[in-house]
Amino acid sequence: MTEKFSLDLALVLPDVPDERDACVGRLQDMLLAEGLEKVHVVREDGGARLCLHYDPLRVSVSRVREVAQAAGARIGSRYHHASLRIDGMDCPTCATVIEHALQRTPGVLEASMSYAAERLRLEFDGEKISREAIVERIRALGYQVLSEGDHAGWWAEYRELVLSVAAGLLLLAGWLAGRVDAPRTLALGLVLAAYAAGGLYALRDAWQSLKSRRFDIDTLMVVAAAGAAALGAWEEGALLLFLFSLGHALEHLAMDRARQAIEALADLAPKTALVQRDGAEIELRVEDLLRGDRVIVKPGSRVPADGVVASGSSAVDQSPVTGESMPADKQPGDKVFAGTINGEGALVVEVTKLAHESTLSRMVQMVADAQTHKSPTQRFTERFERIFVPVVLVGGGLLIALPPLFGFPFMESFYRAMAVLVAASPCALAIATPSAVLSGIARAARGGVLIKGGAHLESLGTLTAIAFDKTGTLTVGKPRVTDVVAADRDDRRLLAAAATVESRSGHPLAQAVVAEAKARNVTWPEDWQVESVTGKGMRAQRNGQTVAVGNARLFEGETIPDGVRQDAARLEAEGKTTMLVQADQAFLGVIALADTPRDGAREVLTRLGQIGIQKTIMLTGDNELVGAAVAKALGVGEVQARLLPQDKVKAIEALVTRHGQVAMVGDGVNDAPAMARATVGIAMGGAGTDVALETADVALMADDLSRLPFAIALSRASRRIIRQNLYMSLGVVALLIPATLLDWAGIGVAVLVHEGSTVAVVVNALRLLAYREKS
């Protein structure tokens, strides 16, 4: 006999980002070794849970819980995750050097470095290596690890540009010295100094690469510069290193602009807060706020922490977090988010989340971490570079050795080989994709869309079909009165009678009727005796008067007027829920209710069609009539009704087979399994629910669909720019190689065009930061 028991995975492994982490597999193996029959992860209510199968005759449920928590604690104390900010990289090759060095370090389980974001994602075994030892290893490679919020400083920011300019000035001085008959040693000394200034970082990176038994772009440049020196072309070699370092310095500065767009998100939250404590108002650092603290948010100031409005009312600009264009009205009980801007009213906000737990803080962290998740194109270019650079070096060697065998001068073939090394260096290719991904994700975050990696950014742009959950996604998620059809045309009398009964019920349908009555300023007496008839409706009595509200089954055995019956049938055919209302044995009419479409949802679906989405599908657990009514109102292309959560997964699998690239849009809770199976899982309301942030590949921070077309259009623009960058970088290499081989271009021209293309692809990628969706 086997029984099952489940635990929240986040409680067992609190530091693990999601169920795909390797620590989950380690936990499963450890628990199986403890004698459990089966251990696996399931999705329930949008959260990951650990499902444990055990024999109750051998072990108690309390023992199972104890074993699971003890195993989780052992894993959590041994295996650690970290996200480190790295300073000192001057080219994409530096990221590869760091990755390769750490991956060969005992105890480091994963090291993924993003040059674009200057961010290292790390997993390591604490029993074999410490975080401090990893930091020292990085420093030994010539790079620095910064604390969160630290800035590298002016010299670290501009040192490469300073050295590059110095190299250029020294080269110019050496060239002029040679032209005015200055001593040869002076001219040569100035050129050698230009070599040192321009080649410092290239030589450092090339040496680190060679120590890691890798050949990269810096290796090509150092070899070419050394070759030029061997030929006696000192000035040309110095020019190569000057232009190479200048190109990288400009590239680095351009990339800083994209990084600053992400760092600007973190700066949205104020540093201090005005807090009510012990009857006084004191100013505290935001990091010192506690749950339950009440902070005063003055008009025009930013909200310091996630919380709930305790008193006051105001319009709050939530665009920094959600991307919403219009301020949201806030009343007591409403949620507010750190970094949003208060309007003209003063608010008192009760803090519900600590500074590091706020939606804004987690959003910034996720955007930073997203840069370490490499896109398919980026992984392809890295594989290409690993093969291409050694091939170029071998080709250069053959170009030196073979032509002299056929009578060509050795010096000429040597020079051509050095020029080819420069021409074939794929610097622009290495930065083409990371720069576009960084800019695209930064722009999305600024627009209220959280994209969790380059792979998802690219996948969004390939979608051909999108499936939507109905309730809460395409619809409001709450019933609303849509029709009040009175038999005697007296709508107010009909509503008053219905509200008399429904005001005593907490059912969502009843509350919708009461809300409609209040909206029309209808009043009703409160002192009625109410009786509920399960599954049918309610009856009320007072002083011999009776009122009944419910479905047709409540009135079995009674004669319902044909007009009332026909009205009910017509409304039900439209997918609406109907209530018949009877007072003192006379039928007053019918009230119809439905979960109504979201405002602007139809326009969003129309816009999706305009930007190339070929098919929209609605998945719902409701019946076919309800689904068809909503689909007709919104213009959805296909409806699949009466689906349980597991049925939605199968539906997504079928849609992927039929359409290829399919997204699933939901609220991130019940739809999590289907979202996980889709090409891209898109959750709405990321600013309101932790579940949406955790489960989806893409989160729309506002609880509406308006950002979805923007996200897809931005993704397609990113893919276009990635393709443009790849064509540009590969095209330059393809043109320069024959140009240098045929002596149409020397080393100077080759490096000038080469470094120009590198800066060009970065500038092209930065255009995404200013992206605006076309109307």
Side-chain angles (χ1 to χ4, degrees), residues 440-515:
I441 290 178
R443 176 64 187 95
R446 214 170 63 216
V449 178
L450 177 60
I451 301 176
K452 294 187 181 178
H456 307 311
L457 177 67
E458 289 196 31
S459 295
L460 266 178
T462 66
L463 295 175
T464 55
I466 301 180
F468 297 87
D469 172 53
K470 180 185 78 69
T471 306
T473 302
L474 290 176
T475 64
V476 176
K478 296 180 180 179
R480 193 166 66 189
V481 173
T482 58
D483 301 87
V484 179
V485 184
D488 59 359
R489 300 180 183 274
D490 190 346
D491 291 354
R492 294 180 64 82
R493 180 188 175 201
L494 174 60
L495 275 173
T500 295
V501 179
E502 302 292 14
S503 62
R504 308 297 295 275
S505 171
H507 193 281
L509 293 175
Q511 294 303 305
V513 171
V514 172

Side-chain angles (χ1 to χ4, degrees), residues 378-561:
Q378 189 173 348
R379 288 195 294 269
F380 164 76
T381 55
E382 288 180 355
R383 289 195 302 270
F384 177 82
E385 185 184 334
R386 282 199 296 269
I387 298 170
F388 184 68
V389 172
V391 168
V392 170
L393 285 171
V394 171
L398 293 175
L399 195 58
I400 293 172
L402 294 181
L405 298 178
F406 297 95
F408 288 92
F410 172 78
M411 297 297 284
E412 182 179 335
S413 64
F414 192 95
Y415 182 86
R416 287 300 106 211
M418 296 303 101
V420 168
L421 290 185
V422 175
S425 177
C427 279
L429 181 65
I431 196 61
T433 303
S435 58
V437 168
L438 176 69
S439 300
I441 290 178
R443 176 64 187 95
R446 214 170 63 216
V449 178
L450 177 60
I451 301 176
K452 294 187 181 178
H456 307 311
L457 177 67
E458 289 196 31
S459 295
L460 266 178
T462 66
L463 295 175
T464 55
I466 301 180
F468 297 87
D469 172 53
K470 180 185 78 69
T471 306
T473 302
L474 290 176
T475 64
V476 176
K478 296 180 180 179
R480 193 166 66 189
V481 173
T482 58
D483 301 87
V484 179
V485 184
D488 59 359
R489 300 180 183 274
D490 190 346
D491 291 354
R492 294 180 64 82
R493 180 188 175 201
L494 174 60
L495 275 173
T500 295
V501 179
E502 302 292 14
S503 62
R504 308 297 295 275
S505 171
H507 193 281
L509 293 175
Q511 294 303 305
V513 171
V514 172
E516 181 68 15
K518 288 181 178 178
R520 299 194 187 194
N521 296 318
V522 174
T523 58
W524 59 89
E526 299 283 351
D527 55 341
W528 288 67
Q529 299 295 319
V530 177
E531 171 196 8
S532 176
V533 184
T534 304
K536 297 181 180 180
M538 299 179 70
R539 292 191 178 96
Q541 294 183 349
R542 188 187 71 160
N543 300 329
Q545 297 177 297
T546 62
V547 174
V549 180
N551 54 39
R553 288 181 295 163
L554 183 66
F555 305 102
E556 288 176 353
E558 299 185 42
T559 302
I560 301 175

Side-chain angles (χ1 to χ4, degrees), residues 136-316:
E136 285 304 315
R137 179 75 178 104
I138 295 170
R139 287 174 178 160
L141 294 172
Y143 309 100
Q144 296 298 316
V145 178
L146 300 178
S147 301
E148 290 301 327
D150 283 356
H151 294 282
W154 184 90
W155 170 246
E157 189 75 19
Y158 294 102
R159 62 195 172 196
E160 191 177 7
L161 181 62
V162 170
L163 287 174
S164 177
V165 171
L169 294 175
L170 288 166
L171 173 59
L172 178 63
W175 180 80
L176 291 174
R179 296 298 178 275
V180 296
D181 296 326
R184 175 62 180 162
T185 53
L186 173 63
L188 184 59
L190 290 170
V191 173
L192 285 173
Y195 256 80
L200 177 64
Y201 288 108
L203 182 62
R204 179 200 68 175
D205 297 334
W207 174 242
Q208 295 292 357
S209 297
L210 290 173
K211 284 202 303 183
S212 301
R213 292 192 285 276
R214 297 176 66 90
F215 297 104
D216 57 25
I217 296 161
D218 293 283
T219 309
L220 296 182
M221 287 299 173
V222 170
V223 169
L231 292 172
W234 292 97
E235 292 174 352
E236 200 156 12
L239 176 64
L240 184 158
L241 291 175
F242 159 61
L243 292 174
F244 182 66
S245 62
L246 180 62
H248 277 297
L250 294 176
E251 169 202 318
H252 191 77
L253 291 175
M255 289 302 298
D256 277 344
R257 183 179 169 194
R259 296 185 190 109
Q260 289 161 7
I262 291 176
E263 292 170 359
L265 292 172
D267 295 335
L268 291 174
K271 306 302 180 187
T272 61
L274 191 60
V275 187
Q276 295 176 340
R277 280 190 184 174
D278 302 323
E281 296 179 2
I282 57 175
E283 190 169 16
L284 293 177
R285 294 188 315 142
V286 169
E287 291 79 5
D288 295 332
L289 292 176
L290 303 174
R291 290 186 183 86
D293 274 342
R294 294 201 167 193
V295 298
I296 299 170
V297 186
K298 295 180 179 180
S301 62
R302 291 185 181 270
V303 177
D306 281 16
V308 175
V309 176
S311 64
S313 61
S314 184
V316 176

